[in-house]
Amino acid sequence: QVQLVESGGGKVQAGGSLRLSCAASGRTFYSSPMGWFRQAPGKEREFVAGISMSGGSTYYADSVKGRFTVSRDNAKNTVYLQMNSLKPEDTAVYYCAGGRTFRPVVAEPTQYDYWGQGTQVTVSS
């Protein structure tokens, strides 16, 4: 079992920055790809960013490319999402998710077995 706990959400003005963290418990963290998703009111959950097991490969949704950076520290069982140049349309609940061991990063949320509780990010104009 893997448990994920996000932190770092909050309210920020457009153009500002936030750094989300996701702390994982469980032995399989280092062998799992990790993803960040978000869900705005009335919308489906969408892929934001993903990172491979080693951290050597990262993937981003077009809407956040160049503004967000995903990283991980396997020694600390933690994955991060640095969000810069935030826009009002980035407002959502952000979730980290653990993918299946030894599998590549995918954007489909149904391929992720473990989810955090979510953290709210609100960007005002």
Side-chain angles (χ1 to χ4, degrees):
Q1 279 285 355
V2 175
Q3 291 186 323
L4 304 174
V5 179
E6 301 102 336
S7 61
K11 296 181 180 180
V12 65
Q13 289 190 331
S17 299
L18 284 173
R19 188 193 197 203
L20 306 184
S21 299
C22 174
S25 64
R27 297 178 298 166
T28 61
F29 176 80
Y30 71 94
S31 60
S32 299
M34 298 296 294
W36 284 98
F37 291 78
R38 66 186 181 187
Q39 188 166 19
K43 295 187 176 181
E44 294 188 351
R45 191 167 298 190
E46 64 173 355
F47 176 80
V48 174
I51 188 165
S52 61
M53 295 179 291
S54 67
S57 297
T58 55
Y59 307 86
Y60 299 93
D62 288 343
S63 59
V64 307
K65 204 171 291 183
R67 300 187 297 122
F68 290 12
T69 303
V70 60
S71 60
R72 67 190 294 164
D73 185 338
N74 285 347
K76 295 182 178 180
N77 276 16
T78 303
V79 62
Y80 306 95
L81 184 67
Q82 177 67 44
M83 306 185 294
N84 298 329
S85 301
L86 282 161
K87 304 176 181 180
E89 50 264 44
D90 294 318
T91 295
V93 177
Y94 283 71
Y95 299 88
C96 70
R100 294 170 186 172
T101 55
F102 302 109
R103 296 290 182 90
V105 172
V106 293
E108 173 54 51
T110 61
Q111 299 300 306
Y112 288 78
D113 293 333
Y114 305 103
W115 292 84
Q117 82 286 356
T119 185
Q120 176 71 46
V121 171
T122 303
V123 184
S124 60
S125 57

